[in-house]
Amino acid sequence: MEPYAFQKHLGLKVAFVPLLLGSYAPDQFSKWFVYGVHLGPWDLKAPDPVQFHRGWPGMGFTHSLTFGALVALIIWGVFGSRLWAVSFLIGHAAHVITDSGDTVGTMWFFPWTHHFTIGAWAYAGQTGRFTDAAAYFSGLGGMWDLVWILYGLFSWRVITRDYFDNVIYQADAFWPWLNKRLPKDALLVLYRGAFFYGCSQWLAWTIWAHLYHHYPYDLHWGGPHWVHAAHPND
Amino acid sequence: MPAALHVLRKWAPNRGELRTFGKYCFLGAIYVTLGVINGFFVVAFWFGLAFLFLTAWAIPALWRRLTR
């Protein structure tokens, strides 16, 4: 939901698509291996999920501000778009800083491997996809997401057709390019996709964890304490 | 008070906007139900985007074309 908030405040100075891609980028190539997948007879899973996801050696460098800056420079150099580079950088930084809220934190200034963490909610990626989700949506992490959802709903005009036509579409040549292949109604639906997904997944996991499986809420700092919270030096 | 009312009136959605919101809420209810039944529906943003693209645009557009 953060990209909609940034878009609301920065208007034509940012482009929505790279903002969104930046905010999803750190987990795109690593999260599946953290939780593990079954591929036929093979079980693929990181031997040390916490180290792999957030540490070094591992893919933890993807959760650093320096990695975001490097990718932004590459975008600028290859595609020649300062707008896309800056937007990607902002979206990526939002993810990196948000993940500093958990007990493992992120290496902001990789290759310096110090983890910046405030430990507000438990990191439980090592427990698997479902327990991790149950823990996240039982602690302050889920509440932090709720803050963004409520802010997004309060700022609902950012997902209207008028806003899309006058700001989103105008700010980024990507949308006119896509408009040659798809009608504007379809573009509007795509633009609203992350808002829809952000609200729906929060609601689905909350219902799944608390109404269906009865995991207890624990909004204490560093909670929920019914799950083993990983730390950088574990 | 009138100033606050004015701000609220400017902020509040009109009937058409509420209708659009209702449509997305309906689709959201289906997606949330699928997600609660099987968590894999809600683990990836791309699933959500594909679901919305199909149900909010592609299928209605196809239906309109077939019934025109």
Side-chain angles (χ1 to χ4, degrees):
Chain A
M1 298 296 285
E2 291 97 322
Y4 293 94
F6 288 124
Q7 184 74 61
K8 180 185 179 225
H9 290 284
L10 297 171
L12 292 165
K13 293 187 197 114
V14 287
F16 183 76
V17 172
L19 202 57
L20 188 70
L21 291 176
S23 75
Y24 283 128
D27 283 337
Q28 283 300 302
F29 303 105
S30 59
K31 212 65 187 280
W32 65 274
F33 199 51
V34 171
Y35 293 140
V37 287
H38 302 287
L39 278 180
W42 297 286
D43 282 335
L44 302 175
K45 189 176 186 333
D48 183 344
V50 182
Q51 168 82 19
F52 175 77
H53 188 207
R54 297 282 182 81
W56 178 259
M59 294 290 280
F61 66 88
T62 59
H63 285 67
S64 69
L65 299 175
T66 38
F67 178 75
L70 183 68
V71 175
L73 281 174
I74 291 170
I75 290 171
W76 196 354
V78 173
F79 300 104
S81 173
R82 188 170 158 268
L83 179 74
W84 265 61
V86 169
S87 306
F88 181 91
L89 185 66
I90 294 171
H92 186 273
H95 185 124
V96 171
I97 293 167
T98 298
D99 278 358
S100 294
D102 66 30
T103 51
V104 170
T106 53
M107 301 181 289
W108 285 16
F109 302 113
F110 184 84
W112 185 31
T113 56
H114 173 77
H115 285 243
F116 287 81
T117 168
I118 60 167
W121 57 89
Y123 177 102
Q126 77 284 2
T127 60
R129 192 186 300 281
F130 292 100
T131 307
D132 185 26
Y136 184 81
F137 289 97
S138 299
L140 291 176
M143 292 301 117
W144 182 238
D145 280 2
L146 180 61
V147 169
W148 287 105
I149 287 172
L150 293 176
Y151 185 71
L153 290 172
F154 176 76
S155 315
W156 62 273
R157 286 198 191 276
V158 295
I159 52 167
T160 58
R161 184 179 293 272
D162 276 354
Y163 191 87
F164 179 76
D165 285 344
N166 297 320
V167 180
I168 303 298
Y169 192 88
Q170 306 296 333
D172 184 4
F174 168 79
W175 294 104
W177 173 81
L178 194 59
N179 198 192
K180 289 176 189 157
R181 291 149 182 86
L182 287 171
K184 232 177 186 180
D185 281 354
L187 305 190
L188 182 61
V189 168
L190 288 175
Y191 167 63
R192 289 169 172 164
F195 197 99
F196 174 85
Y197 175 71
C199 294
S200 299
Q201 73 131 3
W202 189 91
L203 206 54
W205 282 122
T206 298
I207 293 170
W208 177 86
H210 299 292
L211 296 181
Y212 197 63
H213 287 285
H214 305 290
Y215 284 97
Y217 272 108
D218 179 357
L219 302 181
H220 291 101
W221 197 262
H225 294 290
W226 49 257
V227 76
H228 170 72
H231 292 86
N233 299 320
D234 282 354
Chain B
M1 189 63 181
L5 264 180
H6 179 69
V7 170
L8 187 65
R9 205 166 284 166
K10 267 185 77 177
W11 176 84
N14 62 31
R15 194 169 290 183
E17 289 159 345
L18 278 175
R19 204 167 28 239
T20 303
F21 180 67
K23 184 179 96 174
Y24 278 84
C25 283
F26 174 70
L27 296 176
I30 296 172
Y31 186 65
V32 167
T33 305
L34 290 172
V36 172
I37 293 168
N38 187 336
F40 284 96
F41 278 104
V42 285
V43 292
F45 161 69
W46 304 107
F47 284 157
L49 188 65
F51 172 87
L52 189 68
F53 187 73
L54 284 173
T55 56
W57 181 75
I59 292 171
L62 187 66
W63 178 256
R64 277 195 298 274
R65 184 172 290 188
L66 292 174
T67 55
R68 197 161 48 194

